[in-house]
Amino acid sequence: MINMSHVGLRYDGGPEVLTDISLSLKEGSFHYLMGQSGSGKTSLMRLLHIGKLPSRGDIHFFNKDVSKLSRSKRALIRQKIGVIFQDFRLIPELSVFDNIALPLRLSGESDKAIKTDVNAMAEWMGLKDHLKMKPVFLSGGQQQRAAIARAVIAKPQILLADEPTGSLDDEMGLKIMGLFEELNKKGTAIVVATHNKNLVKAFPHPLLTLKSGELIP
Amino acid sequence: MMTLSRQLIPLSSFHHVGLMVMFMIFIACFSAVGFLFVKTITSGWIADIDHSMMIELPPYMIDDETLIDQATIDKQTVKVMEILKNDPVILTSTMKTSNISDLADFGIAMPAFIQLTLHPDRAENNEDRIRRNINRIIPNAIVKTANDWQRDIVQTATYLKLIFCGLAVSIFFLTTIMLSAIIKAQLKASKSIVELFHIMGASPSKIASLFQISILRPIIWGILIGLIIVLLTLSHLISFLDLGFGLGLFYAYMFGVSFIFIALGIFVTRWVVARYLWAMP
């Protein structure tokens, strides 16, 4: 699904924040992305959701060189990627329902299908009673669940999660990881950036470890 | 799309665009009325003076101190009328006396004017001949043909029409700049939402179309209210002053102007959003 070959990334002509990254994410793969603050995890996540293009090297999404694709074709690829941000990035002006429904609306789903899907997802996430509320009235854990619901509702082929269980209690954390495992079994490639070693032990998967912008074996 | 558009940009953000368009529509229609007014009045004047000549017999100094008297001018007038009487090219000749009778009472000589209407088919070839005949007898006579008058009128009218055209073009130019600034400001205000939409897979054209929907709503409202104001004022003025051009032409112009504002809304939004998103991959 994603192939990176000798990728480097620098911002505005500054020093390289990622150096010589080569990795391959296949269908149904599950990786943890680990590393200290400033090691380049966020930058690598940006490359993985095409929020940035590499300064050097090649990235192929679904066997297509992303640097050579038109903007509209890159947008189509992004629709296949679900992203969970550490800071949630819920839109404060919208209700929880509308926040979760955003990817479905962007892909042109009907209002009826959106209502059914969002209600089902909210029920599973324990947000059914909060759908009409604005995110600011939710607790940190509820906001994180809404962000996760938004990322997975369109059944993405690639799921990128930055500290997805950081604000959740243990029970909900396990439930979310269970959801990721379920999606993974259906073929979704998953990358979870985390510092949580307990999580890694509980749900063991290969590690991608970054140190000073380089992947270490 | 409507729901997404509302979610991307709060509805109130572009309200001032409506006010701006309303004002611009009024000015654009005002400049059109001015243009059409000048055009119609000019063609009316040109038609009125077509195939006509004006002979002016002005007072002049006999020597350095003595001005020709009124009796001499009157005699010259009779003489000119005699010459013209038998000319087959001339359809009518009318003497126009000066209205400044107070000055005449003080013994100051006043110019005499004779207006001629020439036969339409033979006017052009005979203007010079008539001028020569009159100047041979009265060298000081000023003979102006329709072409001489028309040249002045057309020149003045052209300047006025250019001013009105310039006003209309400036309005569209100014609207483009203002729209562009408003959209840029809105894009900056919605930066985090635009970025989120981008990450979720909205293409630049999709994001642009969401902005277009949001901006077209106030533009259409601005056009409607602007047109109502125009109809209540300018079209009433056109009928009242009987400016001589059909309201149909004016309505067609109003439709055209409205179309241009909508097109500006669509193209400026697309261009500004595309430029903004150019920094994103």
Side-chain angles (χ1 to χ4, degrees):
Chain A
M1 283 180 163
I2 304 179
N3 267 303
M4 284 191 178
S5 173
H6 306 291
V7 164
L9 178 68
R10 62 176 79 231
Y11 294 104
D12 301 324
E16 272 199 334
V17 291
L18 291 175
T19 309
D20 207 31
I21 305 283
S22 295
L23 62 86
S24 176
L25 301 179
K26 294 193 167 57
E27 190 178 340
S29 64
F30 196 132
H31 291 85
Y32 290 109
L33 179 60
M34 301 193 81
Q36 291 179 333
S37 289
S39 60
K41 292 197 299 294
T42 306
S43 296
L44 183 56
M45 290 295 243
R46 276 191 191 139
L47 289 176
L48 290 172
H49 65 66
I50 326 178
K52 279 275 167 197
L53 291 177
S55 312
R56 64 183 175 89
D58 299 321
I59 305 184
H60 286 78
F61 281 78
F62 306 102
N63 298 320
K64 285 169 190 159
D65 186 345
V66 77
S67 307
K68 290 175 184 164
L69 291 176
S70 66
R71 286 163 184 273
S72 53
K73 286 196 174 141
R74 278 181 215 146
L76 286 176
I77 291 178
R78 279 193 208 99
Q79 286 183 8
K80 297 174 183 172
I81 304 171
V83 187
I84 300 163
F85 299 97
Q86 193 173 10
D87 55 358
F88 317 139
R89 294 212 199 170
L90 297 169
I91 299 174
E93 291 86 359
L94 301 187
S95 66
V96 173
F97 180 96
D98 286 329
N99 266 290
I100 297 173
L102 264 182
L104 299 176
R105 290 218 163 98
L106 279 172
S107 57
E109 290 287 332
S110 70
D111 284 351
K112 198 179 167 191
I114 289 172
K115 201 172 175 184
T116 310
D117 288 359
V118 173
N119 280 330
M121 179 59 75
E123 177 125 36
W124 196 88
M125 287 282 185
L127 291 168
K128 182 105 174 134
D129 297 333
H130 304 87
L131 281 176
K132 287 182 182 166
M133 293 168 83
K134 296 280 165 67
V136 72
F137 297 112
L138 302 184
S139 69
Q142 287 167 331
Q143 287 186 35
Q144 188 149 32
R145 278 182 270 155
I148 293 168
R150 184 182 63 190
V152 300
I153 195 157
K155 300 179 182 65
Q157 294 183 40
I158 300 163
L159 180 65
L160 308 172
D162 197 355
E163 296 287 359
T165 57
S167 302
L168 302 179
D169 56 44
D170 288 348
E171 190 187 343
M172 186 46 81
L174 289 174
K175 198 172 172 187
I176 294 299
M177 285 308 291
L179 170 68
F180 288 176
E181 293 283 347
E182 200 178 308
L183 287 170
N184 183 234
K185 274 179 197 152
K186 288 180 183 166
T188 304
I190 296 178
V191 177
V192 176
T194 185
H195 291 105
N196 189 339
K197 287 180 180 159
N198 293 333
L199 192 75
V200 177
K201 272 184 198 161
F203 298 91
H205 290 290
L207 298 181
L208 297 168
T209 308
L210 274 171
K211 191 176 180 185
S212 304
E214 290 182 56
L215 270 181
I216 54 173
Chain B
M1 282 289 269
M2 290 290 273
T3 315
L4 267 177
S5 163
R6 256 185 240 123
Q7 291 177 352
L8 181 61
I9 310 123
L11 196 60
S12 57
S13 305
F14 287 127
H15 272 176
H16 45 304
V17 171
L19 280 173
M20 180 191 78
V21 168
M22 186 184 81
F23 180 71
M24 293 299 188
I25 281 271
F26 183 80
I27 303 285
C29 289
F30 175 80
S31 62
V33 170
F35 181 90
L36 292 172
F37 175 73
V38 171
K39 189 171 177 279
T40 311
I41 295 289
T42 311
S43 28
W45 284 346
I46 287 173
D48 282 349
I49 61 169
D50 213 12
H51 312 125
S52 68
M53 289 181 83
M54 177 70 86
I55 302 166
E56 183 186 351
L57 303 169
Y60 54 93
M61 305 296 276
I62 303 169
D63 48 50
D64 286 348
E65 290 176 0
T66 318
L67 185 69
I68 190 173
D69 61 2
Q70 188 67 51
T72 311
I73 290 180
D74 291 346
K75 272 183 208 163
Q76 287 178 344
T77 311
V78 173
K79 212 185 268 180
V80 170
M81 293 297 279
E82 281 294 318
I83 299 167
L84 301 173
K85 197 169 66 182
N86 297 321
D87 197 318
V89 176
I90 296 168
L91 289 178
T92 62
S93 56
T94 317
M95 270 177 61
K96 301 223 168 195
T97 50
S98 172
N99 287 328
I100 317 170
S101 53
D102 287 353
L103 292 174
D105 291 345
F106 285 104
I108 298 170
M110 301 304 300
F113 295 96
I114 301 164
Q115 191 177 336
L116 310 177
T117 309
L118 308 187
H119 196 289
D121 299 335
R122 292 148 70 185
E124 284 194 19
N125 298 331
N126 288 287
E127 280 173 353
D128 280 347
R129 179 182 57 77
I130 294 169
R131 190 199 304 265
R132 277 198 306 275
N133 285 349
I134 291 166
N135 282 141
R136 199 171 54 228
I137 299 161
I138 305 160
N140 288 313
I142 300 165
V143 182
K144 280 198 164 185
T145 63
N147 280 340
D148 297 327
W149 297 106
Q150 282 172 359
R151 198 180 306 124
D152 296 342
I153 292 170
V154 168
Q155 202 171 27
T156 311
T158 307
Y159 286 138
L160 283 172
K161 283 194 279 189
L162 275 175
I163 288 171
F164 285 119
C165 279
L167 186 62
V169 171
S170 312
I171 285 163
F172 295 125
F173 184 66
L174 202 64
T175 306
T176 306
I177 291 172
M178 287 167 83
L179 267 180
S180 156
I182 290 167
I183 297 162
K184 267 184 209 164
Q186 191 55 49
L187 273 165
K188 278 184 186 163
S190 313
K191 189 177 176 227
S192 56
I193 303 177
V194 171
E195 277 178 8
L196 189 66
F197 274 48
H198 180 256
I199 289 168
M200 285 182 175
S203 62
S205 62
K206 178 113 182 176
I207 293 174
S209 62
L210 298 175
F211 268 87
Q212 280 169 340
I213 291 170
S214 294
I215 208 161
L216 277 179
R217 241 175 291 153
I219 285 180
I220 289 168
W221 274 112
I223 288 172
L224 288 176
I225 296 169
L227 290 183
I228 288 169
I229 294 171
V230 167
L231 285 173
L232 290 174
T233 53
L234 294 181
S235 61
H236 183 68
L237 191 73
I238 292 167
S239 308
F240 180 73
L241 294 177
D242 192 20
L243 293 182
F245 50 83
L247 272 177
L249 185 62
F250 184 61
Y251 291 147
Y253 175 81
M254 282 165 61
F255 177 78
V257 167
S258 308
F259 178 78
I260 290 174
F261 274 99
I262 290 172
L264 273 181
I266 292 171
F267 290 115
V268 173
T269 308
R270 185 155 288 262
W271 180 67
V272 173
V273 172
R275 276 194 55 156
Y276 181 83
L277 293 177
W278 198 250
M280 299 180 192

